[in-house]
């Protein structure tokens, strides 16, 4: 997969993509992430990327020309087989989810545009952008951190990125349940003992305990997730029992 990111702050992308799982995926050529400075696509001496809003009002608006020209350069480099998602990170977009990450992971190329200031000229949205994504209902100072979140969630789904021991199919938001509690040594820490069942060596019993823990934790913290989780009859009965006032 090739990911191109358009930003006014290219330095922000240095450390996240030069660390851990990412660096390994890039080194192994499973993904390529290219950061483009929107200012490089201006033509004036001051490298102007923003201007006052028509109609007045506070703040500045990102000009359309540098963004259109940057994306057009990227488009011209591509053999146009398949459509190219051009994604704007914005609080007005559709709410990002594991499902959307999975959809995006199936494309061979993605373009992400990070806005800044009070907004972006509407013609960019209308005539260039194919998809608007929000990572949650809060305001950031720009789209960069949101772009990093999207890229992280997508890249770990690419074939070969996770080691063989971890499977994206087991991830919490793929199973539809929150994770069960995990413990490691020491067996007793400050009087707090690890649950007996985990020391039993009875793997069927351990699996059952973990599934119950995942279900009760999900019911308590994120009950709306249970509607979409794949539960068997016995597990649905467990949910009903857990819902009874104790
Ligand atoms: C803020 C441009 N959903 C998170 C999110 C994404 C983008 C922005 N804020 C929040 C943002 C200012 C300018 C984008």
């Amino acid at each position: 997969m090739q990911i191109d990111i358009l930003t006014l702050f290219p330095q922000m992308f240095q450390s996240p993509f030069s660390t851990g799982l990412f660096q390994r995926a890039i080194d192994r050529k499973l993904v390529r992430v290219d950061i483009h400075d929107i200012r490089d696509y201006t033509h004036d001496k001051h490298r102007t990327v923003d201007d006052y809003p028509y109609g007045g009002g506070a703040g500045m608006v990102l000009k359309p020309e540098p963004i259109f020209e940057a994306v057009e350069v990227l488009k011209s480099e591509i053999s146009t087989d398949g459509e190219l998602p051009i994604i704007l990170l914005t609080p007005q977009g559709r709410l990002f989810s594991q499902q959307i990450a999975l959809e995006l992971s199936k494309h061979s190329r993605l373009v992400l545009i990070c806005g800044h200031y009070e907004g972006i000229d509407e013609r960019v949205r209308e005539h260039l952008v194919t998809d608007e994504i929000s990572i949650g209902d809060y305001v950031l100072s720009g789209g960069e951190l949101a772009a990093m979140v999207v890229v992280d969630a997508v890249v770990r789904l690419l074939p070969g990125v996770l080691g063989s021991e971890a499977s994206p199919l087991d991830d919490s938001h793929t199973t539809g349940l929150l994770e069960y509690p995990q413990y490691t040594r020491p067996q007793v820490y400050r009087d707090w003992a690890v649950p007996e069942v985990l020391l039993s060596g009875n793997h069927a019993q351990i699996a059952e305990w973990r599934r119950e823990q995942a279900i009760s934790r999900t019911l308590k913290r994120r009950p709306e997730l249970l509607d979409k989780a794949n539960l068997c009859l016995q597990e649905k009965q467990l949910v009903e029992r857990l819902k009874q006032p104790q």
Side-chain angles (χ1 to χ4, degrees):
M1 173 180 273
Q2 158 114 23
I3 303 174
D4 291 283
I5 303 177
L6 273 58
T7 173
L8 291 170
F9 298 98
Q11 333 78 272
M12 281 185 75
F13 291 89
Q14 272 172 18
S15 59
F17 299 149
S18 1
T19 316
L21 179 137
F22 249 107
Q23 188 56 58
R24 186 168 152 271
I26 291 169
D27 292 345
R28 299 170 67 192
K29 303 206 189 314
L30 301 172
V31 65
R32 182 175 162 166
V33 183
D34 289 347
I35 310 298
H36 307 271
D37 188 339
I38 294 171
R39 265 183 222 284
D40 291 344
Y41 296 86
T42 57
H43 301 291
D44 64 311
K45 184 172 88 187
H46 295 105
R47 313 215 314 150
T48 311
V49 293
D50 59 345
D51 205 339
Y52 298 97
Y54 274 117
M60 301 294 273
V61 175
L62 276 184
K63 292 166 65 59
E65 306 96 310
I67 298 173
F68 271 90
E69 288 181 37
V71 172
E72 278 156 10
V73 168
L74 296 176
K75 281 180 173 171
S76 73
E77 296 167 358
I78 314 169
S79 53
T80 46
D81 54 338
E83 78 296 19
L84 173 62
I86 299 171
I87 301 163
L88 178 67
L89 287 311
T90 164
Q92 297 150 57
R94 62 175 172 146
L95 192 58
F96 192 57
S97 63
Q98 193 63 30
Q99 171 63 40
I100 295 175
L102 193 63
E103 272 171 49
L104 296 179
S105 74
K106 290 168 184 162
H107 293 272
S108 58
R109 194 153 179 185
L110 301 174
V111 175
L112 276 64
I113 302 174
C114 308
H116 245 271
Y117 308 119
E118 308 320 304
I120 189 161
D121 189 285
E122 188 66 17
R123 290 163 291 190
V124 173
R125 297 192 139 95
E126 281 184 329
H127 304 294
L128 188 65
V129 163
T130 63
D131 208 355
E132 298 185 32
I133 289 179
S134 165
I135 62 162
D137 293 336
Y138 34 82
V139 181
L140 301 169
S141 46
E144 285 78 10
L145 289 168
M148 291 177 212
V149 167
V150 170
V151 170
D152 189 289
V154 168
V155 166
R156 59 190 299 292
L157 294 175
L158 299 178
V161 169
L162 290 187
S164 55
E165 65 292 350
S167 163
L169 295 177
D170 296 334
D171 286 344
S172 165
H173 289 290
T174 305
T175 65
L177 293 176
L178 300 183
E179 303 282 354
Y180 51 77
Q182 300 267 30
Y183 296 88
T184 187
R185 288 189 286 186
Q187 192 181 322
V188 179
Y189 177 63
R190 299 190 178 181
D191 266 2
W192 302 309
V194 170
E196 243 351 286
V197 60
L198 299 178
L199 314 172
S200 68
N202 183 335
H203 296 290
Q205 213 186 329
I206 291 170
E208 184 183 84
W209 180 84
R210 285 178 167 167
R211 188 83 180 157
E212 284 175 9
Q213 289 289 315
I215 290 168
S216 60
R217 177 167 285 196
T218 307
L219 178 65
K220 195 162 181 208
R221 300 186 184 186
R222 298 289 307 278
E224 80 283 7
L225 294 182
L226 282 176
D227 304 334
K228 286 193 239 162
N230 261 325
L231 302 183
C232 69
L233 178 61
Q234 200 190 342
E235 290 171 332
K236 286 176 182 157
Q237 289 168 343
L238 170 65
V239 171
E240 291 317 309
R241 259 183 286 130
L242 291 169
K243 279 183 184 169
Q244 303 306 318
Q246 302 299 320

